[in-house]
Amino acid sequence: MKVLLAGGAGYIGSHTALALLNAGHDVIIVDNYCNSSPESVRRVEQLAGRPVELYEADVRDSSALLSILSGSRPDSVIHFAGLKAVGESVQVPLAYYRNNLDATLTLLECMGKTGVRNIVFSSSATVYGEDAPVPYVETMPRGRCSNPYGWTKSMIEQILEDAAVADSDLSVVLLRYFNPVGAHESGRIGEDPRGIPNNLMPYISQVAVGRRECLNIFGNDYPTPDGTCRRDFIHVMDLAEGHARALEYGAGRKGVEVFNLGTGTPYSVLEMLHAFEKACGFPLKHAFAERRAGDLPEFWADAGKAKRILGWQAKRSLDDMCRDAWNWQEQNPMGYQPS
């Protein structure tokens, strides 16, 4: 299968590209590198021993995207393109709505014009909202999101569902995933956020490698066993392999299907910190700070549907996640940029 990855040079996109190449698929990547690097794609090619068709373009640029789709003729699209930081979305909501919704609308319009009828969307557990009971199950309705990032994911899901109603040939798979962490076991590709990391694992990694002085833990008074937030952390390679299964499942089908991709086991921020200290072999400086706007106390997945229908389940442990994240950061202290 020939697959176009919109935003495919980023963290999850690059690992998914590698999983797809290893599964025998051909990969096309379109990325504007606003929070990614072409170096990640070069390393994916080295690891897979196969080339990637790479285009530097903004998915919101309809003329560029139409040209790419018309020339490359992919069978399916996986949509990763979008801004993704919860805290930042609270600070600059208009940028998130403009970027994430425009990218999706342009992508769907260009797919329609070029006859591409299969799409897998990189959604999020945030669509379950503030009041959903845990664990989250796909049959739950979308809820009241706690931040603009979550609302963009919820709105995009609605857009895709409406598009599938209007076009009965459209196949849509919505992947609601939880908290991706870790890196490829080679240490050659991993998470490399621009500026100060918004997510927990890269911040811990950068403290461990000496780029940051201290890990600020946002809130230690949540109604959880140790007072810190609990999340369903999933290894990025498990997530990537889930995309490959979803892609194969959705190809040639019609309508909309939704899957959670998570482990079903929540870990707290402090548990993650201590597991990382075990991986790197030394204690890490940390301090408690005020709660961060938009954060929920805890949530995790019921991933039974993905196991039943896709034959997929997360295999890698918390120790695997921390080991591989540290292996990546230790080998690449400045990420994809030269030290």
Side-chain angles (χ1 to χ4, degrees):
M1 194 184 308
K2 198 172 191 181
V3 191
L4 184 142
L5 307 187
Y11 174 45
I12 300 168
S14 60
H15 289 78
T16 301
L18 180 57
L20 293 173
L21 290 166
N22 287 340
H25 300 294
D26 296 320
V27 171
I28 307 153
I29 288 178
V30 181
D31 205 297
N32 66 358
Y33 306 130
C34 76
N35 194 29
S36 61
S37 169
E39 176 64 17
S40 68
V41 181
R42 188 183 73 82
R43 295 188 186 188
V44 164
E45 291 178 317
Q46 290 175 340
L47 289 167
R50 297 181 56 202
V52 169
E53 196 175 325
L54 178 61
Y55 298 93
E56 182 176 358
D58 194 312
V59 175
R60 297 173 295 172
D61 183 340
S62 58
S63 60
L65 192 58
L66 268 176
S67 176
I68 294 165
L69 286 167
S70 299
S72 297
R73 310 299 301 179
D75 302 295
S76 301
V77 168
I78 303 181
H79 179 21
F80 297 106
L83 302 175
K84 63 175 187 176
V86 168
E88 183 183 61
S89 78
V90 175
Q91 297 165 356
V92 289
L94 298 186
Y96 271 69
Y97 289 117
R98 172 67 72 187
N99 185 87
N100 293 4
L101 298 183
D102 278 3
T104 302
L105 293 169
T106 302
L107 184 57
L108 282 170
E109 288 167 352
C110 292
M111 285 173 59
K113 290 176 181 177
T114 54
V116 183
R117 291 292 181 266
N118 303 311
I119 183 169
V120 175
F121 174 54
S122 167
S123 191
S124 167
T126 57
V127 304
Y128 288 108
E130 296 179 300
D131 304 314
V134 290
Y136 294 166
V137 183
E138 292 91 343
T139 52
M140 292 176 176
R142 286 189 293 269
R144 184 181 63 187
C145 297
S146 60
N147 54 77
Y149 163 77
W151 278 117
T152 67
K153 294 294 189 182
S154 182
M155 291 174 181
I156 290 168
E157 284 197 5
Q158 186 65 57
I159 289 167
L160 287 162
E161 289 172 359
D162 291 343
V165 170
D167 181 356
S168 60
D169 290 328
L170 190 63
S171 170
V172 176
V173 179
L174 306 175
L175 296 182
R176 294 174 180 168
Y177 42 82
F178 285 67
N179 290 73
V181 296
H184 187 258
E185 62 182 8
S186 67
R188 295 288 293 154
I189 58 173
E191 189 168 9
D192 182 25
R194 299 283 175 89
I196 299 173
N198 288 290
N199 295 325
L200 176 63
M201 181 67 93
Y203 208 112
I204 294 176
S205 300
Q206 291 188 13
V207 171
V209 84
R211 285 176 63 181
R212 309 283 167 194
E213 181 182 352
C214 176
L215 171 68
N216 288 318
I217 298 174
F218 297 105
N220 64 342
D221 57 351
Y222 284 99
T224 60
D226 64 17
T228 63
C229 291
R230 296 205 300 167
R231 295 290 183 266
D232 188 338
F233 295 101
I234 177 173
H235 196 293
V236 68
M237 286 307 301
D238 279 330
L239 192 64
E241 290 161 7
H243 282 77
R245 294 289 182 89
L247 181 77
E248 292 157 3
Y249 170 82
R253 298 180 67 86
K254 297 179 181 180
V256 181
E257 197 65 82
V258 184
F259 295 100
N260 287 337
L261 295 184
T263 67
T265 301
Y267 292 101
S268 74
V269 174
L270 281 176
E271 286 176 308
M272 176 64 78
L273 172 64
H274 297 325
F276 199 96
E277 289 175 329
K278 177 183 172 184
C280 69
F282 50 86
L284 300 175
K285 185 178 179 181
H286 62 279
F288 294 105
E290 294 296 317
R291 291 186 182 189
R292 186 171 58 178
D295 277 345
L296 296 178
E298 59 183 359
F299 56 82
W300 64 90
D302 180 327
K305 182 180 178 182
K307 182 178 180 180
R308 290 192 309 272
I309 297 177
L310 301 181
W312 172 93
Q313 66 182 111
K315 300 177 296 187
R316 296 163 177 89
S317 68
L318 180 62
D319 286 342
D320 295 331
M321 300 174 205
C322 293
R323 180 201 64 220
D324 292 340
W326 175 236
N327 185 33
W328 149 257
Q329 197 70 76
E330 189 176 31
Q331 288 189 45
N332 304 271
M334 300 303 294
Y336 290 114
Q337 306 304 314
S339 300

